[in-house]
Amino acid sequence: MAAYPDNLHYTKDHEWIRAEGDAGIVGITDFAQEQLGDVVHVQLPRVGEKFSAHDTFGEVESVKTFSELYTPVSGEVVEVNEALVDSPELVNSSPYGDGWMIKIKLSDSGELDRLLSASEYEDFIESQKEE
Amino acid sequence: MSTEQLKKTALNEAHRKLNGRMIDFGGWDMPVQYPAGTIVEHTTVRTAAGIFDVSHMGEIDISGPQALPLIQHLTSNDAAKLVDGQIQYSALTYPEGTFVDDILVHRFAADHYFLCVNASNTDKDYEWIQGKASGFDAAVKNLSANYTQLAIQGPKALGVLQQLTDADLSEIKYYWFVRDRVDGVPAIIARTGYTGEDGFEIYFDPNESERIWNKILEVGKSYGLIPCGLAARNTLRLEAKMALYGNDIDHTTTVLEADLGWICKLGKDDFIGRDRLAEQKENGLTRKLIGFEVIDKGIARDHCPIFIEGEEAGIVTSGSPAPFLKKNIGLAYLPIEQTAIGTHFEIDVRGRRLAAAVVQTPFYKRSK
């Protein structure tokens, strides 16, 4: 599996979003899960909560540390990944698949175009590593 | 800080080859975990074996006719009880009865001792000991650069290490050591550790580091041994309620407050801090280090404030998920009247108040 699939949009906060009709599936990147280490708890919002782009929608905790989760786009949460309550390790084992976090109904699909492409995100990661 | 300025152990390259994730650990470039991850590393030490590079730890050698009187003056435990080949957990104490450091004292001979001290305290300890040694006929040497220290820990540690030494490891009791060879290399082989498991810590010539490290990984494979990083070392020691200098103990906490009365031998000859500790024992403690379990869903982290009946009553000194126990646990100093087992209190975790309770420690105790 590629570390950064081409069909996703990325943020500098290490979230990804995959468009599905008028909604988007959101999770954290392979880089993010690797930096966190073993994920032991994911705090997610309730269905129906509304967020603007860059709002904090939850929290992910690993053995060593925690990190806030930011919505890549504005919209309303229409589904959350309940499987993460009992199996938070899915975020590590399948960051782009079973480890997804929320499904959000987009208020403005134009916001997706302002996010990073896979290659832009990869360049961003590389530039971070060099610092 | 760029990695150029960080101190490196002789195994730095070996960790990188194993894809260890390197972090700045108190000025040392050390592996926090390997690809297996902290939870697997932790549980493998509980069920099989793990190897840790702990060469950042310091070694201080004290020898001479008055080596023992000097150590007795500097430490709270009674080093006169040691015989050759025996090890003692102890504290280097300030006049206030607080910690310069917590250390292991190894007795080579009646006039020769070997101290294992915390990495970040090595220079401070050495200067402290030097400063107090002037009236004693004893030589103090910082030999930290002369040793690689590896910890092989877990129920299978003995089986692994026995493949590489003629010393009969089953004959070495807990907190004893021998000077023998590991794969032909002269080594101190001590039955000690910082994980709550059986295991060994070995000290040897850094030039042999990579060869010995690889050899242990190789013979350990069939026993399930894996390399483990400092994150697992921290969660393992926390489950076993072993104090961490800089978190749970430091220059502001006394040996008695840290619940380490058993290394505080007030009956021995005078030592630095003795009067203050005797006074504290006489008058009673006002606070004590306790272990807690978080009752609500959530993880208490280091430095989270603690509230009792709405009043701030302390801070979490170490807080983490406990990977083997599958609970969220921690250590904290609480007012003495709140330290009974079962006492409930609240921990503020980034604005959320989590219920917690004082529990029996150690959280984890291995079955013999």
Side-chain angles (χ1 to χ4, degrees):
Chain A
M1 185 180 71
Y4 312 112
D6 283 335
N7 59 332
L8 309 180
H9 303 273
Y10 298 86
T11 71
K12 290 186 177 177
D13 303 312
H14 311 291
E15 283 86 21
W16 55 263
I17 181 165
R18 186 176 69 235
E20 276 193 3
D22 62 350
I25 308 279
V26 177
I28 64 169
T29 67
D30 193 35
F31 176 80
Q33 69 78 17
E34 198 180 295
Q35 290 297 306
L36 280 165
D38 293 326
V39 172
V40 293
H41 181 64
V42 185
Q43 184 86 36
L44 293 176
R46 272 185 283 272
V47 169
E49 283 190 59
K50 293 190 173 79
F51 295 98
S52 300
H54 311 300
D55 278 354
T56 305
F57 73 86
E59 226 175 55
V60 57
E61 297 217 43
S62 67
V63 175
K64 199 73 192 145
T65 186
F66 77 96
S67 181
E68 293 193 317
L69 298 165
Y70 302 95
T71 48
V73 295
S74 313
E76 181 184 330
V77 176
V78 291
E79 205 180 330
V80 302
N81 187 357
E82 301 287 352
L84 297 183
V85 176
D86 290 326
S87 304
E89 68 278 4
L90 291 171
V91 175
N92 296 115
S93 59
S94 180
Y96 304 119
D98 294 340
W100 68 278
M101 291 171 175
I102 57 170
K103 186 171 182 180
I104 191 165
K105 189 164 185 268
L106 308 175
S107 349
D108 171 10
S109 59
E111 283 180 343
L112 291 174
D113 300 331
R114 279 165 243 154
L115 300 173
L116 303 177
S117 69
S119 62
E120 284 166 343
Y121 178 68
E122 205 166 345
D123 289 346
F124 171 69
I125 297 295
E126 289 308 314
S127 71
Q128 296 289 295
K129 282 181 188 162
E130 279 156 25
E131 264 171 33
Chain B
M1 187 186 274
S2 86
T3 50
E4 264 56 55
Q5 293 157 288
L6 295 177
K7 286 183 264 188
K8 291 179 170 129
T9 75
L11 288 163
N12 194 275
E13 278 305 311
H15 300 316
R16 290 172 183 280
K17 276 182 213 160
L18 289 166
N19 292 315
R21 172 126 53 85
M22 309 302 284
I23 58 156
D24 176 355
F25 185 83
W28 288 82
D29 188 41
M30 298 296 283
V32 64
Q33 63 161 76
Y34 297 89
T38 302
I39 292 176
V40 169
E41 292 169 19
H42 181 117
T43 50
T44 301
V45 170
R46 291 269 178 262
T47 56
I51 182 172
F52 303 76
D53 175 19
V54 289
S55 304
H56 58 312
M57 301 287 283
E59 291 84 15
I60 294 171
D61 184 284
I62 301 180
S63 63
Q66 288 190 297
L68 179 60
L70 172 58
I71 290 168
Q72 288 289 66
H73 178 59
L74 291 166
T75 63
S76 65
N77 207 339
D78 188 359
K81 293 250 169 68
L82 288 170
V83 300
D84 294 357
Q86 201 179 4
I87 305 164
Q88 184 176 74
Y89 180 58
S90 192
L92 284 173
T93 38
Y94 286 117
E96 294 75 24
T98 59
F99 291 85
V100 179
D101 201 358
D102 65 328
I103 64 172
L104 290 179
V105 180
H106 303 62
R107 177 168 144 164
F108 284 165
D111 60 355
H112 191 186
Y113 298 81
F114 174 86
L115 276 42
C116 178
V117 306
N118 279 301
S120 55
N121 288 337
T122 305
D123 293 343
K124 178 187 76 177
D125 292 358
Y126 178 62
E127 278 162 35
W128 173 258
I129 296 169
Q130 281 278 23
K132 301 294 171 196
S134 52
F136 295 85
D137 185 1
V140 182
K141 285 179 270 184
N142 181 357
L143 299 183
S144 302
N146 297 16
Y147 290 101
T148 275
Q149 184 185 347
L150 301 181
I152 301 105
Q153 302 281 300
K156 301 286 172 63
L158 188 148
V160 174
L161 194 58
Q162 191 64 76
Q163 306 302 311
L164 298 174
T165 182
D166 292 334
D168 184 352
L169 297 181
S170 65
E171 288 295 310
I172 305 172
K173 285 177 283 185
Y174 189 53
Y175 270 69
W176 289 71
F177 70 94
V178 297
R179 283 190 282 181
D180 206 287
R181 283 170 187 273
V182 174
D183 202 34
V185 177
I188 297 165
I189 306 173
R191 199 158 190 171
T192 50
Y194 195 49
T195 59
E197 286 311 320
D198 186 20
F200 296 85
E201 291 178 300
I202 61 173
Y203 305 75
F204 58 93
D205 180 357
N207 291 315
E208 301 282 357
S209 303
E210 197 153 346
R211 193 175 66 78
I212 297 289
W213 169 265
N214 288 332
K215 194 83 186 183
I216 293 171
L217 284 177
E218 187 188 315
V219 304
K221 202 165 264 176
S222 61
Y223 292 82
L225 172 139
I226 59 169
C228 299
L230 295 182
R233 183 170 150 87
N234 184 55
T235 51
L236 285 159
R237 70 90 194 166
L238 182 58
E239 281 187 346
K241 203 212 178 192
M242 296 171 119
L244 173 62
Y245 192 94
N247 278 50
D248 313 308
I249 54 174
D250 62 19
H251 66 284
T252 67
T253 61
T254 75
V255 182
L256 293 174
E257 289 168 346
D259 204 17
L260 292 171
W262 64 278
I263 64 163
C264 198
K265 299 292 157 56
L266 299 171
K268 76 169 192 177
D269 290 344
D270 198 26
F271 64 90
I272 297 169
R274 188 198 163 279
D275 291 351
R276 191 61 72 84
L277 289 165
E279 195 183 295
Q280 199 169 41
K281 190 168 184 187
E282 177 78 22
N283 297 340
L285 295 173
T286 57
R287 61 172 187 161
K288 198 175 79 174
L289 188 68
I290 57 89
F292 66 81
E293 221 177 276
V294 182
I295 299 165
D296 288 333
K297 206 163 168 63
I299 301 161
R301 302 284 182 180
D302 301 359
H303 316 305
C304 285
I306 287 174
F307 290 83
I308 299 176
E309 286 158 14
E311 297 286 313
E312 187 162 350
I315 60 155
V316 173
T317 56
S318 290
S320 167
F324 188 75
L325 301 172
K326 296 191 168 69
K327 291 171 177 172
N328 296 312
I329 61 170
L331 301 177
Y333 285 92
L334 288 185
I336 197 74
E337 57 277 8
Q338 309 285 353
T339 53
I341 305 296
T343 305
H344 280 238
F345 58 92
E346 287 187 324
I347 304 173
D348 186 293
V349 179
R350 304 185 292 280
R352 272 203 312 149
R353 292 284 174 91
L354 304 181
V358 178
V359 297
Q360 202 89 48
T361 53
F363 305 98
Y364 168 85
K365 205 170 168 45
R366 75 187 156 99
S367 44
K368 302 267 169 173

